[in-house]
Amino acid sequence: MSRTGPKRSESIRLAVLNAADDLLVERGFDGVTIEGIAARAGVAKQTLYRWWKSKVDILLDTLAGDARDGLAWQLGSASAEEELQRQLRRINAFFHEPAGHVLRALLGHAQTNPATARALREGFLREQRERDRAGLRAVLARHTACQTARQTGRHLDDHVVDGLLDLLLGPLYYRTLVGDRAAEPAILDATAHLVLDTAARITRSDQEPSG
């Protein structure tokens, strides 16, 4: 996230982000304060305010960095179903790591704080959605349950891919945010299979001659 003002020391920035991460896990969202982060990181409170407007901005910065690796799509030569299963397992694990606690805390705070909701949706969630959409489209373009493997990615427009992405991630988010527990591997596997089956059905329907 770009900030105005003096150039930041990378070592200090990382110290602040790590301190925010640790404090959120230890004390929860309400227990995290600018004063606490500054004390844990060993920097002056004024330094934090020069670079971030609030603790929410610090946590968003922390989340963005952690998610680049933790939620990245690592596609290879496995089958479509295996690739989706692996990605769901990565997300499932991420939710229960310190970085995932940050995401869960921000999502919770966003329900009652419009400013946090706006910052989260216009920043991290929008960017992660784009990455997830690209990852899912790549899987569908390269691997599909129907015969026209190479055509699937082109035939499914953005609206359909968005629906499939909701279907892919919805059960995992529900288990984590509502049930407060990790999703079982069987649920993740069934979800991956359902998404591919639905994509194949839509593709076949699009290719059937009308009339």
Side-chain angles (χ1 to χ4, degrees):
M1 298 176 67
S2 62
R3 306 287 175 193
T4 58
K7 184 177 180 181
R8 290 181 291 186
S9 160
E10 183 63 12
S11 62
I12 293 177
R13 188 185 79 89
L14 291 176
V16 169
L17 299 184
N18 289 334
D21 240 348
D22 292 343
L23 287 172
L24 187 134
V25 173
E26 293 172 13
R27 304 179 185 178
F29 183 85
D30 289 339
V32 178
T33 64
I34 289 289
E35 292 80 4
I37 295 172
R40 179 67 65 94
V43 301
K45 182 174 68 173
Q46 291 77 10
T47 299
L48 269 66
Y49 278 123
R50 284 202 302 268
W51 299 335
W52 295 278
K53 294 179 180 179
S54 66
K55 71 176 184 181
V56 168
D57 280 347
I58 297 175
L59 291 171
L60 284 169
D61 209 348
T62 300
L63 177 60
D66 290 337
R68 287 190 194 98
D69 292 329
L71 297 180
W73 287 68
Q74 299 180 349
L75 304 180
S77 58
S79 70
E81 197 157 330
E82 289 173 329
E83 300 227 336
L84 291 186
Q85 289 170 353
R86 290 175 184 174
Q87 183 62 17
L88 288 174
R89 281 167 168 73
R90 285 174 59 79
I91 299 171
N92 200 33
F94 180 86
F95 265 127
H96 300 277
E97 296 169 354
H101 285 285
V102 173
L103 175 55
R104 293 166 66 180
L106 287 170
L107 287 170
H109 187 60
Q111 304 311 303
T112 57
N113 187 291
T116 298
R118 184 169 55 254
L120 191 57
R121 291 183 183 126
E122 294 178 359
F124 172 78
L125 291 179
R126 178 182 58 79
E127 294 164 4
Q128 186 58 43
R129 181 78 176 187
E130 291 172 357
R131 289 189 287 265
D132 288 335
R133 185 188 295 115
L136 178 57
R137 185 177 286 281
V139 171
L140 295 174
R142 217 161 34 85
H143 305 290
T144 180
C146 70
Q147 296 299 316
T148 54
R150 292 292 179 183
Q151 297 175 2
T152 300
R154 293 194 294 270
H155 283 178
L156 298 177
D157 61 26
D158 286 342
H159 178 72
V160 173
V161 174
D162 274 337
L164 292 171
L165 190 55
D166 289 341
L167 183 61
L168 180 70
L169 300 181
L172 178 53
Y173 273 70
Y174 183 87
R175 272 302 172 99
T176 302
L177 299 177
V178 178
D180 193 25
R181 57 196 175 103
E184 294 86 348
I187 289 178
L188 302 180
D189 294 349
T191 300
H193 180 82
L194 177 61
V195 168
L196 291 175
D197 184 62
T198 302
R201 289 173 183 271
I202 292 172
T203 305
R204 286 197 297 268
S205 176
D206 288 345
Q207 292 173 346
E208 290 175 356
S210 59

